């Protein structure tokens, strides 16, 4: 039987993963991306001559499918990442560090070792986590993270739950889905050694998967088209037509907004659900302080919606980037966007000077402020995400497709792997 020809529309992480996975199954994929570069929301950009990631990203050890596909396309994980045990500490030494080892034991030891929290707080956290584990890390779909954690002491919610929630779900705890939060906790903290480890990229985002995947596809018989926008998709007797070309299967790995536009003529219910998603922005402030090297590559920062926008700072000098360049991440950034980017930038620099002051070797100056207005969908309780199956021979892939994860690289890659499995001939 001749190999099937599929179109994969969209060359973000979901599309790259789908094309590679399809090729591994003997399909002939044609990957079509409208932008002039691969990578979608996780890519390298060059702004006024300065090469940067379009937003600081972080992976964790539990991203098993992403890490598997990176290796398939020839990426060395040792070269790609600085791997370290989960450490959510602030510059003044507060916060949780998990020692290496089995995640459950590490979590218990890490919580006990955090003596800045009174013993009662630590016991409360451990008994709450044990309760979640006993219930299989499941809760009612309508429960928010704030409701889920309401019995924890306020200090624990401020120092641990809120930053963890906004980092993982990009949605503030009062509006974030408790069910998705528990699933992330389960996979990160309790699904095997190393699953909670932080993987900090040492290479530019495009080199982690998009570019190596494109090179691999080129070498293995895939067809690649950059700078080509798919305007419409039409059903035909034995598959689908795109721009006059016939494909037996199509994986739609665009954004939800574009997927809704493309399928509305023949799958209006699916399109309506995809179009109903709401979004949360992420702002990344890149700044420079000559001669500065932070004591560790990543710090959590005490943040609030009044004066302190950034939840995390990354030291690029320790991550394969230029010395003295720091990336400040503002997740759930809507309140800050409403105040304006100049205000947000200045507030971030003030916050950094206050919290990192002793570590800064020279004045900190802003380099660039990058905003992704639709960084991720708002991961709210009871959210109805569109399913992967759109029509016979047509599957959706992307971080927004129904699944257990929030909008993450791993969510995008897993949805792609599943879409290929669903479409592949048996
Ligand atoms: C600033 C920022 C920080 C983030 N931090 C993290 C993090 O730390 N960890 C983490 O796991 N995740 C993080 N994420 C989320 C992660 O980047 C996304 O979940 C992931 O990149 C989504 O990939 P995707 O392939 O589903 O979608 P996209 O990346 O949106 O890819 C869709 C692609 O389809 C293309 N396209 C659209 N329409 C068409 C068309 N008609 N024809 C052809 N091509 C089309 C687009 O150009 C795009 O390249 C972050 C996101 C942002 C923005």
């Amino acid at each position: 039987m001749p190999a099937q020809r599929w179109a994969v529309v969209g060359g973000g992480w979901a599309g790259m993963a789908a094309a590679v996975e399809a090729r591994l199954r003997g399909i002939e994929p044609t990957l079509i991306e409208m932008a002039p570069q691969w990578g979608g929301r996780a890519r390298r950009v060059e702004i006024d001559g300065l090469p940067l990631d379009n937003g600081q990203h972080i992976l964790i050890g539990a991203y098993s499918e992403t890490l598997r596909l990176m290796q398939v396309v020839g990426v060395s994980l040792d070269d790609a990442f600085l791997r370290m045990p989960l450490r959510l500490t602030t510059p003044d030494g507060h916060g949780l560090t998990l020692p290496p080892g089995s995640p459950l034991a590490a979590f218990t030891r890490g919580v006990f070792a955090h003596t800045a929290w009174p013993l009662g707080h630590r016991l409360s956290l451990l008994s709450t986590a044990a309760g979640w584990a006993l219930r299989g890390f499941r809760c009612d779909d309508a429960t928010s993270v704030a409701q889920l954690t309401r019995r924890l002491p306020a200090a624990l919610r401020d120092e641990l739950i809120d930053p963890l929630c906004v980092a993982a779900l990009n949605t503030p705890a009062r509006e974030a889905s408790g069910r998705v939060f528990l699933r992330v906790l389960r996979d990160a903290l309790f699904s095997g050694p190393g699953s909670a480890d932080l993987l900090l990229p040492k290479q530019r985002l495009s080199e982690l998967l998009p570019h190596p995947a494109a090179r691999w596809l080129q070498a293995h018989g895939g067809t690649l088209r950059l700078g080509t926008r798919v305007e419409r998709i039409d059903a035909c007797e034995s598959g689908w037509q795109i721009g006059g070309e016939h494909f037996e299967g199509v994986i739609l790995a665009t954004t939800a907004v574009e997927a809704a536009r493309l399928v509305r003529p023949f799958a209006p219910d699916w399109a309506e659900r995809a179009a109903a998603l709401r979004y949360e922005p992420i702002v990344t402030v890149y700044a420079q302080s000559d001669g500065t090297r932070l004591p560790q590559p990543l710090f959590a920062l005490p943040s609030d919606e009044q004066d302190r926008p950034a939840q995390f700072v990354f030291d690029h000098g320790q991550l394969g980037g230029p010395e003295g360049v720091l990336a400040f991440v503002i997740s759930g950034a809507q309140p800050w966007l409403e105040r304006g980017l100049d205000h947000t930038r200045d507030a971030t620099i003030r916050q950094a000077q206050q919290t990192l002051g002793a570590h800064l070797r020279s004045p900190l100056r802003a380099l660039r402020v990058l905003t992704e207005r639709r960084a991720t969908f708002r991961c709210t309780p009871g959210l109805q995400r569109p399913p992967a199956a759109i029509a016979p021979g047509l599957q959706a892939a992307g971080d927004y497709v129904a699944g257990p994860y929030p909008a993450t690289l791993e969510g995008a890659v897993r949805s792609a792997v599943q879409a290929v499995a669903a479409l592949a001939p048996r």
Side-chain angles (χ1 to χ4, degrees), residues 9-15 32-35 37 39-42 54-59 63 228-231 253-255 258 261-262 282 284 372 374-376 397-400 407-410 412:
V9 184
W13 284 52
I32 310 170
E33 165 58 48
M34 72 178 184
Q37 75 281 316
R41 274 169 281 160
N54 71 316
Q56 177 68 49
H57 279 61
I58 191 168
L59 290 78
Y63 280 18
T228 308
R229 184 177 193 217
V230 169
E231 298 294 348
T254 66
T255 54
E258 270 291 280
R261 179 185 72 78
L262 286 165
I282 298 180
T284 310
E372 285 278 348
R374 286 186 182 149
T376 68
D399 62 356
Y400 69 91
T408 52
L409 299 170
E410 180 71 1

Side-chain angles (χ1 to χ4, degrees), residues 56-192:
Q56 177 68 49
H57 279 61
I58 191 168
L59 290 78
I60 59 171
Y63 280 18
S64 53
E65 285 299 284
T66 307
L67 301 177
R68 174 180 71 81
L69 280 178
M70 285 174 66
Q71 289 172 289
V72 165
V73 299
V75 174
S76 149
L77 300 185
D78 289 340
D79 292 346
F81 297 113
L82 178 69
R83 187 171 189 136
M84 57 187 241
L86 181 78
R87 190 185 295 156
L88 291 177
T89 49
T90 54
D92 61 5
H94 280 291
L96 188 66
T97 301
L98 297 197
S102 130
L104 197 52
F107 181 70
T108 310
R109 290 199 340 260
V111 171
F112 265 119
H114 190 347
T115 49
W117 289 334
L119 183 62
H121 287 22
R122 285 177 271 161
L123 291 174
S124 163
L125 179 57
L126 287 174
S127 70
T128 302
W132 292 336
L134 281 174
R135 286 187 291 279
F137 289 95
R138 276 192 293 267
C139 72
D140 187 74
D141 199 20
T143 305
S144 71
V145 172
Q147 289 164 335
L148 183 74
T149 56
R150 68 188 182 286
R151 294 210 175 81
L152 286 174
L156 279 187
R157 293 200 308 267
D158 289 349
E159 282 180 33
L160 182 68
I161 301 295
D162 292 357
L164 208 54
C165 176
V166 83
L169 275 63
N170 192 28
T171 308
R174 62 181 179 276
E175 292 162 43
S177 160
R179 177 177 282 191
V180 176
F181 183 69
L182 284 180
R183 175 59 190 252
V184 172
L185 280 191
R186 188 195 89 174
D187 285 8
L189 291 179
F190 301 99
S191 71

